[in-house]
Amino acid sequence: MNTLMMLIRRIANLCRKEFLAVLKDPKSRAILIVPALVQSMLFGYAATYELNRVPYAVLDYSHSAAAMRFTARLEADGIFRRVANARNEQEARDLIDTQKALLILHFPPDFERSLYSGQPAPLQLILDGRNSNTAGSAAAHVNAVAMNYNREWRAQTGAPEPRLQIASRAWYNPNLETRWNLMPGLIAALSMLQTLLLTALSVAREREHGTFDQLLVTPMTPAEIMVGKALPPVCIGLLQSTIILLVTRFWFGVPLAGSVLHIYAGLTLFTVACVGIGLSISALSANMQQAMLYTFVLVMPMMLLSGLTTPVRNMPELLQLLTMANPLRFAIDMVQRIYLEGVGLGTVWPNLIPLLIIAALTLPLAAWLFRHRLV
C-alpha cells in the first residue's frame, strides 16, 4: 500500500511540475486558450457547406412572364441572389469567369411559347464547375424549384407531362468532380505548409543550436542573411508544387488547360510571400518549439480562410474581410483559374497584386526584425 502511495505521489509531483512549466509562461497560457477559441469560431462560421448565398445571373431571350415567374420562385427563399441580367453569351461567360455568378439561367426565345403549346421547354443551367460542391447543391435546388413549377403548371393547365426541363452544363468541370476543384488548389496549399515550417525553423534552429551569435561575426549583413535563409525554402516550395502538379495531371488525370509557366510565375510570387511570413515568425521565435507552435497556430486559420473547401462568399462578411490578408486565398484562385480555365497572368493579375503587397510588407518586416535582433 505504501509503495502504491509513493508511486502516486511521485507521478503527482511530476504532473504538477509539468503543469507549472506550461502555465508559468504567459505566452504559453495564451497559446493554450486563444488558438482553440479562435479556431472553433472559424470552423463554426467558415467551414460551412450550407447553401445560403448563391449569386446567379439570367440570360433571358424570351422576355416572358413565365421566365419571370420561375426566377421569382427561385429567389423566394432568399438563397439565390440575382447579380446581373446578361444580354448575350459573352456577358454570361464573363460573369462565370470572374466568379461574380455561380450559375446562369438561360431562357431560350421560345420558352413561354413552348410551355403554352404543350412542348418541352428546356431551361439551360450553366454552372461554375470550379466550385463543384456548391454548384452541385445549387443545381439540385434549381431542379427542386423546377419540379414545383411543373407541379403548379400541371394543376393550372391539366398538362400530363412536365414541360419545364432543366438541362445542366458545368463549365471547367463537366462532371462536377470534387477532385478537379480540390487538386489544383492543393498545388498551392500543401507547398505552403512546408515552406512556412522550413522558413520559421531556419533562424530558430540557429538560436537553439547556439550558432546564431556566430552570424554576428561574419561579414554578412542582416539583408544577406535573410536572402540566404529565404532562397532554399522558395526552391523547396516550388519543388513540392511540382510534385503535386505532376500527381494532379498524370495520376488523377485532371486536364491542364493553362500554361505551366504562368502557374510557376504566380507560385513563385506566392512562395516569396509565404517565406516573408515564415521569416517573420522565425525572427520572433526564441527556439524551434516556439517556431513550430506559432506556425501551426497560423496555418489552420489560413487553410480555413483560403476558400479551398468552402467558398469565401459563403463566409460572414467579417471573415471575408480577413481573407484579404491571406495569401493562400489568392494563390488557390490563381492556380485553379490558370489550370482549369486556361487563362493567363493578364487575367489573374487581381490575385497577383495582393501577393505582391504581402511579400512587400512581410519581407521588410522580417529584415527589420533580423536587424533589431542581430545588431
Side-chain angles (χ1 to χ4, degrees):
M1 187 63 181
N2 289 336
T3 305
L4 179 61
M5 291 302 296
M6 290 291 291
L7 175 65
I8 294 175
R9 186 173 300 149
R10 287 197 298 271
I11 293 175
N13 288 334
L14 182 59
C15 291
R16 180 172 178 273
K17 176 256 180 188
E18 292 296 325
F19 276 121
L20 288 175
V22 173
L23 300 177
K24 186 178 179 181
D25 184 10
K27 291 183 179 177
S28 299
R29 291 199 298 268
I31 288 174
L32 289 176
I33 298 172
V34 175
L37 181 63
V38 172
Q39 289 171 9
S40 62
M41 296 293 289
L42 287 178
F43 267 106
Y45 285 107
T48 173
Y49 293 94
E50 294 178 357
L51 199 65
N52 51 22
R53 191 177 304 170
V54 178
Y56 83 103
V58 174
L59 177 59
D60 186 6
Y61 287 128
S62 71
H63 304 291
S64 62
M68 293 177 61
R69 280 200 299 273
F70 183 83
T71 54
R73 178 167 291 281
L74 188 65
E75 298 171 2
D77 54 11
I79 296 176
F80 286 78
R81 300 178 184 180
R82 190 185 309 190
V83 294
N85 291 311
R87 291 173 295 183
N88 50 51
E89 284 82 358
Q90 184 58 48
E91 285 190 4
R93 176 176 288 277
D94 291 342
L95 288 168
I96 291 288
D97 288 347
T98 56
Q99 298 186 341
K100 292 180 180 177
L102 180 68
L103 60 90
I104 304 288
L105 291 178
H106 179 192
F107 294 92
D110 58 347
F111 176 73
E112 188 174 57
R113 187 168 59 252
S114 298
L115 284 174
Y116 280 108
S117 63
Q119 300 296 320
L123 169 59
Q124 189 177 33
L125 176 62
I126 303 172
L127 300 162
D128 183 359
R130 294 167 296 181
N131 190 353
S132 54
N133 287 335
T134 308
S137 301
H141 193 95
V142 173
N143 277 288
V145 171
M147 289 178 62
N148 291 331
Y149 189 90
N150 283 327
R151 192 178 302 116
E152 292 181 1
W153 186 271
R154 285 198 302 270
Q156 293 173 0
T157 63
E161 297 293 334
R163 300 186 178 186
L164 175 57
Q165 297 178 352
I166 301 292
S168 299
R169 180 185 175 193
W171 286 356
Y172 311 121
N173 186 357
N175 298 322
L176 292 179
E177 293 185 32
T178 305
R179 186 178 297 148
W180 283 36
N181 172 57
L182 186 63
M183 292 305 298
L186 289 180
I187 294 173
L190 293 183
S191 65
M192 182 200 72
L193 300 178
Q194 194 71 21
T195 302
L196 269 182
L197 188 59
L198 285 175
T199 315
L201 291 176
S202 59
V203 176
R205 185 186 299 109
E206 299 276 2
R207 287 200 182 95
E208 190 163 313
H209 291 173
T211 57
F212 184 69
D213 293 337
Q214 296 178 6
L215 292 174
L216 296 173
V217 297
T218 64
M220 299 180 68
T221 64
E224 291 171 343
I225 295 173
M226 190 189 71
V227 173
K229 293 287 184 184
L231 286 179
V234 170
C235 296
I236 293 173
L238 291 176
L239 175 63
Q240 290 200 329
S241 296
T242 303
I243 295 172
I244 303 165
L245 177 63
L246 292 174
V247 170
T248 302
R249 177 64 187 90
F250 296 106
W251 183 265
F252 291 107
V254 182
L256 173 62
S259 166
V260 174
L261 292 179
H262 289 179
I263 291 178
Y264 274 94
L267 283 175
T268 301
L269 186 56
F270 165 65
T271 308
V272 170
C274 291
V275 166
I277 297 173
L279 285 175
S280 301
I281 294 174
S282 189
L284 291 170
S285 304
N287 49 53
M288 293 175 65
Q289 183 182 7
Q290 206 171 70
M292 291 179 66
L293 196 56
Y294 288 163
T295 303
F296 286 123
V297 167
L298 186 64
V299 161
M300 182 63 75
M302 290 178 72
M303 294 292 286
L304 276 175
L305 298 177
S306 67
L308 178 65
T309 55
T310 55
V312 172
R313 59 170 165 256
N314 282 1
M315 300 176 187
E317 292 183 359
L318 177 60
L319 294 185
Q320 291 186 36
L321 191 61
L322 288 176
T323 62
M324 302 303 289
N326 184 5
L328 186 57
R329 168 194 170 161
F330 304 104
I332 287 176
D333 186 65
M334 173 199 65
V335 174
Q336 286 179 336
R337 295 199 65 185
I338 296 176
Y339 195 105
L340 297 175
E341 294 179 33
V343 300
L345 295 178
T347 303
V348 298
W349 66 266
N351 290 315
L352 302 179
I353 297 299
L355 294 176
L356 189 62
I357 293 174
I358 293 172
L361 290 177
T362 54
L363 287 173
L365 173 64
W368 184 85
L369 292 172
F370 273 112
R371 190 179 304 114
H372 284 72
R373 284 183 176 265
L374 286 172
V375 179

